[in-house]
PDB file of all heavy atoms in Angstrom:
ATOM      1  N   LEU B 202      92.411  93.426 -34.779  1.00 95.00           N
ATOM      2  CA  LEU B 202      92.902  92.253 -34.034  1.00 95.00           C
ATOM      3  C   LEU B 202      91.967  91.765 -32.932  1.00 95.00           C
ATOM      4  O   LEU B 202      92.084  90.627 -32.486  1.00 95.00           O
ATOM      5  CB  LEU B 202      94.273  92.569 -33.418  1.00 95.00           C
ATOM      6  CG  LEU B 202      95.390  92.896 -34.409  1.00 95.00           C
ATOM      7  CD1 LEU B 202      96.617  93.412 -33.664  1.00 95.00           C
ATOM      8  CD2 LEU B 202      95.759  91.651 -35.210  1.00 95.00           C
ATOM      9  N   LYS B 203      91.093  92.653 -32.457  1.00 96.00           N
ATOM     10  CA  LYS B 203      90.192  92.318 -31.337  1.00 96.00           C
ATOM     11  C   LYS B 203      90.945  91.816 -30.103  1.00 96.00           C
ATOM     12  O   LYS B 203      90.556  90.849 -29.451  1.00 96.00           O
ATOM     13  CB  LYS B 203      89.142  91.283 -31.777  1.00 96.00           C
ATOM     14  CG  LYS B 203      88.255  91.740 -32.922  1.00 96.00           C
ATOM     15  CD  LYS B 203      87.275  92.821 -32.479  1.00 96.00           C
ATOM     16  CE  LYS B 203      86.477  93.362 -33.671  1.00 96.00           C
ATOM     17  NZ  LYS B 203      85.809  94.630 -33.379  1.00 96.00           N
ATOM     18  N   LEU B 204      92.082  92.450 -29.869  1.00 96.00           N
ATOM     19  CA  LEU B 204      92.873  92.135 -28.672  1.00 96.00           C
ATOM     20  C   LEU B 204      93.152  93.438 -27.926  1.00 96.00           C
ATOM     21  O   LEU B 204      93.183  94.503 -28.553  1.00 96.00           O
ATOM     22  CB  LEU B 204      94.205  91.500 -29.072  1.00 96.00           C
ATOM     23  CG  LEU B 204      94.140  90.072 -29.632  1.00 96.00           C
ATOM     24  CD1 LEU B 204      95.479  89.670 -30.229  1.00 96.00           C
ATOM     25  CD2 LEU B 204      93.701  89.090 -28.546  1.00 96.00           C
ATOM     26  N   PRO B 205      93.358  93.379 -26.602  1.00 96.00           N
ATOM     27  CA  PRO B 205      93.631  94.610 -25.845  1.00 96.00           C
ATOM     28  C   PRO B 205      94.779  95.386 -26.482  1.00 96.00           C
ATOM     29  O   PRO B 205      95.852  94.821 -26.718  1.00 96.00           O
ATOM     30  CB  PRO B 205      94.029  94.092 -24.450  1.00 96.00           C
ATOM     31  CG  PRO B 205      93.389  92.752 -24.343  1.00 96.00           C
ATOM     32  CD  PRO B 205      93.379  92.179 -25.734  1.00 96.00           C
ATOM     33  N   THR B 206      94.527  96.659 -26.766  1.00 98.00           N
ATOM     34  CA  THR B 206      95.489  97.449 -27.538  1.00 98.00           C
ATOM     35  C   THR B 206      95.775  98.771 -26.850  1.00 98.00           C
ATOM     36  O   THR B 206      94.859  99.483 -26.440  1.00 98.00           O
ATOM     37  CB  THR B 206      94.943  97.726 -28.952  1.00 98.00           C
ATOM     38  OG1 THR B 206      94.742  96.475 -29.616  1.00 98.00           O
ATOM     39  CG2 THR B 206      95.899  98.581 -29.752  1.00 98.00           C
ATOM     40  N   LEU B 207      97.069  99.071 -26.746  1.00 98.00           N
ATOM     41  CA  LEU B 207      97.505 100.328 -26.140  1.00 98.00           C
ATOM     42  C   LEU B 207      98.129 101.217 -27.210  1.00 98.00           C
ATOM     43  O   LEU B 207      98.951 100.756 -28.007  1.00 98.00           O
ATOM     44  CB  LEU B 207      98.559 100.040 -25.076  1.00 98.00           C
ATOM     45  CG  LEU B 207      99.088 101.258 -24.320  1.00 98.00           C
ATOM     46  CD1 LEU B 207      98.158 101.586 -23.146  1.00 98.00           C
ATOM     47  CD2 LEU B 207     100.492 101.013 -23.795  1.00 98.00           C
ATOM     48  N   ALA B 208      97.728 102.486 -27.240  1.00 97.00           N
ATOM     49  CA  ALA B 208      98.394 103.440 -28.141  1.00 97.00           C
ATOM     50  C   ALA B 208      98.828 104.647 -27.328  1.00 97.00           C
ATOM     51  O   ALA B 208      98.313 104.904 -26.238  1.00 97.00           O
ATOM     52  CB  ALA B 208      97.475 103.855 -29.263  1.00 97.00           C
ATOM     53  N   ASP B 209      99.767 105.382 -27.893  1.00 96.00           N
ATOM     54  CA  ASP B 209     100.370 106.516 -27.211  1.00 96.00           C
ATOM     55  C   ASP B 209     100.385 107.671 -28.192  1.00 96.00           C
ATOM     56  O   ASP B 209     100.640 107.474 -29.380  1.00 96.00           O
ATOM     57  CB  ASP B 209     101.793 106.065 -26.841  1.00 96.00           C
ATOM     58  CG  ASP B 209     102.805 107.186 -26.734  1.00 96.00           C
ATOM     59  OD1 ASP B 209     102.986 107.925 -27.728  1.00 96.00           O
ATOM     60  OD2 ASP B 209     103.443 107.284 -25.687  1.00 96.00           O
ATOM     61  N   ASP B 210     100.090 108.875 -27.725  1.00 97.00           N
ATOM     62  CA  ASP B 210     100.433 110.047 -28.519  1.00 97.00           C
ATOM     63  C   ASP B 210     101.070 111.046 -27.576  1.00 97.00           C
ATOM     64  O   ASP B 210     100.611 111.216 -26.438  1.00 97.00           O
ATOM     65  CB  ASP B 210      99.228 110.645 -29.241  1.00 97.00           C
ATOM     66  CG  ASP B 210      99.690 111.490 -30.439  1.00 97.00           C
ATOM     67  OD1 ASP B 210     100.493 110.988 -31.248  1.00 97.00           O
ATOM     68  OD2 ASP B 210      99.268 112.656 -30.553  1.00 97.00           O
ATOM     69  N   SER B 211     102.112 111.667 -28.056  1.00 97.00           N
ATOM     70  CA  SER B 211     102.880 112.497 -27.137  1.00 97.00           C
ATOM     71  C   SER B 211     103.608 113.584 -27.895  1.00 97.00           C
ATOM     72  O   SER B 211     103.739 113.526 -29.115  1.00 97.00           O
ATOM     73  CB  SER B 211     103.877 111.623 -26.363  1.00 97.00           C
ATOM     74  OG  SER B 211     104.545 110.743 -27.239  1.00 97.00           O
ATOM     75  N   GLY B 212     104.059 114.588 -27.161  1.00 98.00           N
ATOM     76  CA  GLY B 212     104.777 115.671 -27.819  1.00 98.00           C
ATOM     77  C   GLY B 212     105.266 116.702 -26.832  1.00 98.00           C
ATOM     78  O   GLY B 212     105.103 116.561 -25.615  1.00 98.00           O
ATOM     79  N   LEU B 213     105.869 117.721 -27.394  1.00 98.00           N
ATOM     80  CA  LEU B 213     106.475 118.782 -26.601  1.00 98.00           C
ATOM     81  C   LEU B 213     105.672 120.065 -26.783  1.00 98.00           C
ATOM     82  O   LEU B 213     105.374 120.458 -27.917  1.00 98.00           O
ATOM     83  CB  LEU B 213     107.908 119.017 -27.086  1.00 98.00           C
ATOM     84  CG  LEU B 213     108.701 120.098 -26.371  1.00 98.00           C
ATOM     85  CD1 LEU B 213     109.141 119.614 -24.986  1.00 98.00           C
ATOM     86  CD2 LEU B 213     109.926 120.507 -27.195  1.00 98.00           C
ATOM     87  N   GLU B 214     105.326 120.713 -25.680  1.00 98.00           N
ATOM     88  CA  GLU B 214     104.620 121.995 -25.754  1.00 98.00           C
ATOM     89  C   GLU B 214     105.512 123.092 -25.162  1.00 98.00           C
ATOM     90  O   GLU B 214     105.880 123.021 -23.988  1.00 98.00           O
ATOM     91  CB  GLU B 214     103.298 121.914 -24.971  1.00 98.00           C
ATOM     92  CG  GLU B 214     102.328 120.897 -25.572  1.00 98.00           C
ATOM     93  CD  GLU B 214     100.989 120.826 -24.841  1.00 98.00           C
ATOM     94  OE1 GLU B 214     100.927 121.267 -23.661  1.00 98.00           O
ATOM     95  OE2 GLU B 214     100.020 120.328 -25.430  1.00 98.00           O
ATOM     96  N   VAL B 215     105.835 124.073 -25.986  1.00 98.00           N
ATOM     97  CA  VAL B 215     106.709 125.163 -25.539  1.00 98.00           C
ATOM     98  C   VAL B 215     105.859 126.408 -25.315  1.00 98.00           C
ATOM     99  O   VAL B 215     105.132 126.842 -26.221  1.00 98.00           O
ATOM    100  CB  VAL B 215     107.828 125.440 -26.568  1.00 98.00           C
ATOM    101  CG1 VAL B 215     108.763 126.536 -26.060  1.00 98.00           C
ATOM    102  CG2 VAL B 215     108.605 124.163 -26.861  1.00 98.00           C
ATOM    103  N   GLU B 216     105.959 126.937 -24.087  1.00 98.00           N
ATOM    104  CA  GLU B 216     105.065 128.022 -23.670  1.00 98.00           C
ATOM    105  C   GLU B 216     105.146 129.246 -24.585  1.00 98.00           C
ATOM    106  O   GLU B 216     104.120 129.715 -25.090  1.00 98.00           O
ATOM    107  CB  GLU B 216     105.402 128.400 -22.232  1.00 98.00           C
ATOM    108  CG  GLU B 216     104.265 129.063 -21.478  1.00 98.00           C
ATOM    109  CD  GLU B 216     104.631 129.249 -19.999  1.00 98.00           C
ATOM    110  OE1 GLU B 216     104.449 128.302 -19.233  1.00 98.00           O
ATOM    111  OE2 GLU B 216     105.115 130.342 -19.631  1.00 98.00           O
ATOM    112  N   VAL B 217     106.372 129.718 -24.831  1.00 98.00           N
ATOM    113  CA  VAL B 217     106.496 130.948 -25.649  1.00 98.00           C
ATOM    114  C   VAL B 217     106.143 130.721 -27.110  1.00 98.00           C
ATOM    115  O   VAL B 217     106.012 131.679 -27.880  1.00 98.00           O
ATOM    116  CB  VAL B 217     107.917 131.580 -25.600  1.00 98.00           C
ATOM    117  CG1 VAL B 217     108.197 132.177 -24.244  1.00 98.00           C
ATOM    118  CG2 VAL B 217     108.991 130.598 -26.029  1.00 98.00           C
ATOM    119  N   LEU B 218     105.978 129.482 -27.498  1.00 98.00           N
ATOM    120  CA  LEU B 218     105.540 129.194 -28.878  1.00 98.00           C
ATOM    121  C   LEU B 218     104.048 128.857 -28.903  1.00 98.00           C
ATOM    122  O   LEU B 218     103.549 128.251 -29.862  1.00 98.00           O
ATOM    123  CB  LEU B 218     106.349 128.028 -29.466  1.00 98.00           C
ATOM    124  CG  LEU B 218     107.865 128.227 -29.570  1.00 98.00           C
ATOM    125  CD1 LEU B 218     108.534 126.965 -30.135  1.00 98.00           C
ATOM    126  CD2 LEU B 218     108.195 129.428 -30.470  1.00 98.00           C
ATOM    127  N   GLY B 219     103.352 129.240 -27.834  1.00 97.00           N
ATOM    128  CA  GLY B 219     101.906 129.003 -27.794  1.00 97.00           C
ATOM    129  C   GLY B 219     101.559 127.517 -27.780  1.00 97.00           C
ATOM    130  O   GLY B 219     100.498 127.115 -28.255  1.00 97.00           O
ATOM    131  N   GLY B 220     102.473 126.708 -27.254  1.00 98.00           N
ATOM    132  CA  GLY B 220     102.185 125.272 -27.154  1.00 98.00           C
ATOM    133  C   GLY B 220     102.732 124.444 -28.309  1.00 98.00           C
ATOM    134  O   GLY B 220     102.628 123.228 -28.315  1.00 98.00           O
ATOM    135  N   ARG B 221     103.291 125.111 -29.319  1.00 97.00           N
ATOM    136  CA  ARG B 221     103.916 124.361 -30.411  1.00 97.00           C
ATOM    137  C   ARG B 221     105.186 123.671 -29.921  1.00 97.00           C
ATOM    138  O   ARG B 221     105.781 124.151 -28.958  1.00 97.00           O
ATOM    139  CB  ARG B 221     104.276 125.322 -31.567  1.00 97.00           C
ATOM    140  CG  ARG B 221     103.152 125.486 -32.571  1.00 97.00           C
ATOM    141  CD  ARG B 221     103.607 126.360 -33.720  1.00 97.00           C
ATOM    142  NE  ARG B 221     103.908 127.710 -33.254  1.00 97.00           N
ATOM    143  CZ  ARG B 221     105.004 128.401 -33.584  1.00 97.00           C
ATOM    144  NH1 ARG B 221     105.919 127.866 -34.366  1.00 97.00           N
ATOM    145  NH2 ARG B 221     105.185 129.618 -33.114  1.00 97.00           N
ATOM    146  N   PRO B 222     105.669 122.606 -30.556  1.00 98.00           N
ATOM    147  CA  PRO B 222     105.071 121.909 -31.694  1.00 98.00           C
ATOM    148  C   PRO B 222     103.876 121.006 -31.342  1.00 98.00           C
ATOM    149  O   PRO B 222     103.156 120.608 -32.249  1.00 98.00           O
ATOM    150  CB  PRO B 222     106.228 121.066 -32.240  1.00 98.00           C
ATOM    151  CG  PRO B 222     107.182 120.924 -31.116  1.00 98.00           C
ATOM    152  CD  PRO B 222     107.036 122.138 -30.273  1.00 98.00           C
ATOM    153  N   GLY B 223     103.642 120.695 -30.067  1.00 97.00           N
ATOM    154  CA  GLY B 223     102.434 119.968 -29.667  1.00 97.00           C
ATOM    155  C   GLY B 223     102.232 118.677 -30.439  1.00 97.00           C
ATOM    156  O   GLY B 223     103.161 117.871 -30.562  1.00 97.00           O
ATOM    157  N   ILE B 224     101.020 118.518 -30.970  1.00 97.00           N
ATOM    158  CA  ILE B 224     100.717 117.250 -31.661  1.00 97.00           C
ATOM    159  C   ILE B 224     101.521 117.089 -32.947  1.00 97.00           C
ATOM    160  O   ILE B 224     101.520 116.014 -33.540  1.00 97.00           O
ATOM    161  CB  ILE B 224      99.206 117.097 -31.981  1.00 97.00           C
ATOM    162  CG1 ILE B 224      98.681 118.294 -32.775  1.00 97.00           C
ATOM    163  CG2 ILE B 224      98.397 116.926 -30.691  1.00 97.00           C
ATOM    164  CD1 ILE B 224      97.250 118.103 -33.286  1.00 97.00           C
ATOM    165  N   PHE B 225     102.214 118.133 -33.359  1.00 97.00           N
ATOM    166  CA  PHE B 225     103.047 118.033 -34.571  1.00 97.00           C
ATOM    167  C   PHE B 225     104.522 117.802 -34.246  1.00 97.00           C
ATOM    168  O   PHE B 225     105.387 117.961 -35.111  1.00 97.00           O
ATOM    169  CB  PHE B 225     102.886 119.304 -35.424  1.00 97.00           C
ATOM    170  CG  PHE B 225     101.460 119.554 -35.821  1.00 97.00           C
ATOM    171  CD1 PHE B 225     100.721 120.552 -35.211  1.00 97.00           C
ATOM    172  CD2 PHE B 225     100.841 118.758 -36.791  1.00 97.00           C
ATOM    173  CE1 PHE B 225      99.392 120.766 -35.549  1.00 97.00           C
ATOM    174  CE2 PHE B 225      99.506 118.965 -37.124  1.00 97.00           C
ATOM    175  CZ  PHE B 225      98.774 119.974 -36.509  1.00 97.00           C
ATOM    176  N   SER B 226     104.805 117.419 -33.007  1.00 97.00           N
ATOM    177  CA  SER B 226     106.193 117.320 -32.552  1.00 97.00           C
ATOM    178  C   SER B 226     107.064 116.430 -33.435  1.00 97.00           C
ATOM    179  O   SER B 226     108.219 116.749 -33.704  1.00 97.00           O
ATOM    180  CB  SER B 226     106.238 116.813 -31.104  1.00 97.00           C
ATOM    181  OG  SER B 226     105.684 117.773 -30.232  1.00 97.00           O
ATOM    182  N   ALA B 227     106.504 115.317 -33.893  1.00 95.00           N
ATOM    183  CA  ALA B 227     107.324 114.351 -34.648  1.00 95.00           C
ATOM    184  C   ALA B 227     107.604 114.830 -36.070  1.00 95.00           C
ATOM    185  O   ALA B 227     108.522 114.344 -36.726  1.00 95.00           O
ATOM    186  CB  ALA B 227     106.641 112.989 -34.689  1.00 95.00           C
ATOM    187  N   ARG B 228     106.786 115.761 -36.540  1.00 95.00           N
ATOM    188  CA  ARG B 228     106.995 116.247 -37.920  1.00 95.00           C
ATOM    189  C   ARG B 228     107.076 117.775 -37.952  1.00 95.00           C
ATOM    190  O   ARG B 228     106.589 118.421 -38.874  1.00 95.00           O
ATOM    191  CB  ARG B 228     105.893 115.726 -38.851  1.00 95.00           C
ATOM    192  CG  ARG B 228     104.520 115.830 -38.217  1.00 95.00           C
ATOM    193  CD  ARG B 228     103.462 114.971 -38.894  1.00 95.00           C
ATOM    194  NE  ARG B 228     102.408 114.671 -37.939  1.00 95.00           N
ATOM    195  CZ  ARG B 228     101.116 114.958 -38.106  1.00 95.00           C
ATOM    196  NH1 ARG B 228     100.691 115.506 -39.225  1.00 95.00           N
ATOM    197  NH2 ARG B 228     100.237 114.664 -37.180  1.00 95.00           N
ATOM    198  N   TYR B 229     107.730 118.309 -36.940  1.00 97.00           N
ATOM    199  CA  TYR B 229     107.838 119.769 -36.793  1.00 97.00           C
ATOM    200  C   TYR B 229     108.603 120.358 -37.968  1.00 97.00           C
ATOM    201  O   TYR B 229     108.229 121.395 -38.534  1.00 97.00           O
ATOM    202  CB  TYR B 229     108.571 120.056 -35.484  1.00 97.00           C
ATOM    203  CG  TYR B 229     108.560 121.476 -34.999  1.00 97.00           C
ATOM    204  CD1 TYR B 229     107.481 122.323 -35.228  1.00 97.00           C
ATOM    205  CD2 TYR B 229     109.634 121.960 -34.241  1.00 97.00           C
ATOM    206  CE1 TYR B 229     107.485 123.615 -34.731  1.00 97.00           C
ATOM    207  CE2 TYR B 229     109.641 123.243 -33.741  1.00 97.00           C
ATOM    208  CZ  TYR B 229     108.569 124.072 -33.994  1.00 97.00           C
ATOM    209  OH  TYR B 229     108.582 125.339 -33.489  1.00 97.00           O
ATOM    210  N   ALA B 230     109.681 119.675 -38.365  1.00 97.00           N
ATOM    211  CA  ALA B 230     110.509 120.190 -39.472  1.00 97.00           C
ATOM    212  C   ALA B 230     110.079 119.583 -40.809  1.00 97.00           C
ATOM    213  O   ALA B 230     110.819 119.630 -41.783  1.00 97.00           O
ATOM    214  CB  ALA B 230     111.981 119.886 -39.186  1.00 97.00           C
TER     215      ALA B 230
END
Side-chain angles (χ1 to χ4, degrees):
Chain B
L202 298 171
K203 300 289 175 196
L204 289 169
T206 299
L207 182 85
D209 152 303
D210 202 50
S211 46
L213 180 75
E214 296 182 340
V215 182
E216 204 173 276
V217 290
L218 299 178
R221 271 184 296 134
I224 55 172
F225 302 105
S226 293
R228 44 197 155 123
Y229 192 33

